[in-house]
Amino acid sequence: MPRLSADARHRIRARINGRAIEAEAEPRMLLTDFLRHVLGLTGTHIGCEHGVCGACTVEIDGRLARACLTLAPQIEGSEIRTVEGLAPSPDRLSVLQEAFRRHHALQCGFCTAGILVSLDHYLARTPDPSESEIREFLGGHLCRCTGYVPIVAAALNAAKKLREAKPHA
Amino acid sequence: MKPARFDYVRADTLAEAHAVLAAEGENARVIAGGQTLVPMLSMRLARPKVVIDIMHIAPLAKIAEEKDAIRVGAAVRQAELLEWPALAERQPLMAMALPWVGHAQTRSRGTVCGSVAHADPSAEIPLVLLALKGEIELSSRRHKRRVAAEEFFTGLMSTACAENELIDSILIPSRRVGEGFAFREFGRRHGDFAIVACAAVAKGNSVRLGVGGVADRPVARDLLDLDGSALDDALDTLAWDLEARDDLHASASYRRALVRRLGKETIEEARRCRA
């Protein structure tokens, strides 16, 4: 691959939430800014901007990633999923999102985008987690208002609903 | 906090990465998972002219079983090694320590070799590699060499890796008959940096104990045939030798107390697990 010069913008191609995108970024642009400012996908939030808080968590090629710890050119050719890709349609919430609403698992909502992406990924792979497993997993996220109790409750409830929806899985 | 400008090279081959390193020297930085380098770029603690992405160099993406070791390439993510089905059987100590590295959300991107390259004194992977007497394979345009973990970590976040070199892979020694292993860590929160971490390898009545989070680099000691108060004395000597310092997270005397206590627990557990 040719060297991408620092002073120019370069074309980046990827798939985001199932849609092919093509947009330009400088090599130093973080994926958070690429998503929000270049593509207008403002669901991904920027909290600490150095990988501690987890608000910007997205999925890259099926693995969780802090968007703020990813350079835009690193995603060339990748498949990305953001919080905008969670709901089944614009007027419906996912099972996990619905559980968050029911359990008041958010107040200001700043950390929520990252936590939803993380838990969506986790529950798809760990259908029957214990409370302590969820708590350890949530250690990768900071929430400064709800105090985690309703977030854990929502996650456990969503896991249960998802299991009920797929009895033979 | 945004990084300063840099060029970006996605290397397709090792030769391509070596060529950029040879030409740019200290102005180049290698990026793999980026979990440490990107915050350093954003905080402008690192201001390279060029960043070389090595994650698309196919030969570096492998975990391979060799005769006495597991070879982990520079593009292998921590989560991939943790998911590798043979890990707990081939090297239980690494399997015990990996869940303590960052969070699930960072292990999914961070690489095993990246943690070694960064050489944080409280990082788990360098500690385990040192406790197991592992090796680091470095390469540059003209040379390839192997360095023992004992010689690789030279100080606070500094290593024997030269400006024109990169880590190709690390060699994690496989478990041998009769060895027992244990890993313990104490931190404020799971996933935070360790205040003190201990890794022990027991064989017969001797034990090798590695301690992280206290000195400017991980430190390992061979404690031969020690039990009871002799072992306590050896741990006390080790605790003082590490020259613990006070910081925001813990006082020096607290760290020494943890070395004595966690060290002993880790050794006892490793001895119980000898097989």
Side-chain angles (χ1 to χ4, degrees), chain A residues 44-105:
Chain A
T44 299
H45 291 169
I46 302 176
C48 70
E49 219 173 22
H50 64 284
V52 176
C53 78
C56 67
T57 304
V58 298
E59 228 180 61
I60 303 177
D61 293 329
R63 286 197 183 272
L64 292 174
R66 310 277 210 225
C68 78
L69 296 188
T70 310
L71 303 172
Q74 282 181 289
I75 68 150
E76 169 73 28
S78 296
E79 181 92 37
I80 314 279
R81 215 163 148 241
T82 68
V83 68
E84 286 92 345
L86 298 187
S89 64
D91 58 343
R92 279 178 59 209
L93 296 177
S94 72
V95 171
L96 178 67
Q97 288 168 319
E98 186 55 47
F100 263 59
R101 182 159 81 175
R102 212 169 31 249
H103 289 267
H104 301 282

Side-chain angles (χ1 to χ4, degrees), chain B residues 156-215:
Chain B
L156 186 70
M157 295 176 189
S158 52
T159 70
C161 185
E163 278 168 13
N164 63 342
E165 289 178 315
L166 57 80
I167 298 181
D168 257 29
S169 56
I170 58 166
L171 290 147
I172 306 167
S174 306
R175 86 185 292 175
R176 278 164 296 197
V177 179
E179 283 180 334
F181 305 94
F183 182 87
R184 293 275 174 106
E185 175 168 322
F186 188 82
R188 292 292 297 272
R189 195 172 63 132
H190 191 107
D192 280 2
F193 285 108
I195 293 175
V196 172
C198 291
V201 183
K203 188 166 190 191
N205 204 33
S206 74
V207 66
R208 181 169 165 86
L209 178 71
V211 179
V214 187

Side-chain angles (χ1 to χ4, degrees), chain B residues 22-268:
Chain B
E24 303 280 354
E26 63 171 357
N27 292 320
R29 289 299 292 264
V30 169
I31 192 168
Q35 302 302 286
T36 307
L37 183 64
V38 179
M40 287 173 73
L41 293 171
S42 286
M43 290 187 251
R44 303 201 177 190
L45 296 169
R47 300 183 68 143
K49 266 169 56 188
V50 55
V51 168
I52 311 164
D53 188 345
I54 59 165
M55 292 305 279
H56 300 269
I57 302 174
L60 299 187
K62 285 188 197 144
I63 302 172
E65 292 194 66
E66 302 201 343
K67 196 160 113 328
D68 303 313
I70 307 161
R71 178 185 291 275
V72 180
V76 174
R77 302 191 196 271
Q78 292 150 9
E80 290 175 289
L81 184 58
L82 195 53
E83 290 159 9
W84 187 54
L87 184 65
E89 171 61 33
R90 289 295 305 273
Q91 186 37 265
L93 187 59
M94 189 58 89
M96 289 170 192
L98 274 178
W100 291 89
V101 179
H103 303 282
Q105 294 87 347
T106 59
R107 289 193 294 271
S108 55
R109 292 287 287 175
T111 62
V112 177
C113 292
S115 173
V116 173
H118 183 55
D120 188 291
S122 61
E124 293 83 1
I125 295 170
L127 170 63
V128 166
L129 202 59
L130 179 71
L132 292 172
K133 299 189 181 174
E135 293 177 302
I136 293 97
E137 206 158 272
L138 301 163
S139 68
S140 63
R141 198 169 54 166
R142 295 217 166 82
H143 297 284
K144 201 169 176 113
R145 62 181 178 126
R146 260 191 205 188
V147 181
E150 199 88 49
E151 274 104 56
F152 185 76
F153 302 107
T154 54
L156 186 70
M157 295 176 189
S158 52
T159 70
C161 185
E163 278 168 13
N164 63 342
E165 289 178 315
L166 57 80
I167 298 181
D168 257 29
S169 56
I170 58 166
L171 290 147
I172 306 167
S174 306
R175 86 185 292 175
R176 278 164 296 197
V177 179
E179 283 180 334
F181 305 94
F183 182 87
R184 293 275 174 106
E185 175 168 322
F186 188 82
R188 292 292 297 272
R189 195 172 63 132
H190 191 107
D192 280 2
F193 285 108
I195 293 175
V196 172
C198 291
V201 183
K203 188 166 190 191
N205 204 33
S206 74
V207 66
R208 181 169 165 86
L209 178 71
V211 179
V214 187
D216 64 352
R217 69 196 88 171
V219 173
R221 285 279 165 87
D222 291 296
L223 306 168
L224 304 170
D225 279 325
L226 296 175
D227 274 310
S229 65
L231 179 59
D232 290 338
D233 290 346
L235 284 168
D236 186 56
T237 307
L238 173 60
W240 283 99
D241 284 353
L242 296 174
E243 294 180 9
R245 274 181 287 184
D246 296 329
D247 66 19
L248 272 175
H249 307 288
S251 67
S253 74
Y254 186 69
R255 285 199 159 88
R256 283 191 291 274
L258 276 173
V259 171
R260 290 186 282 257
R261 169 89 178 265
L262 270 190
K264 186 150 189 196
E265 286 176 9
T266 314
I267 289 171
E268 284 171 351

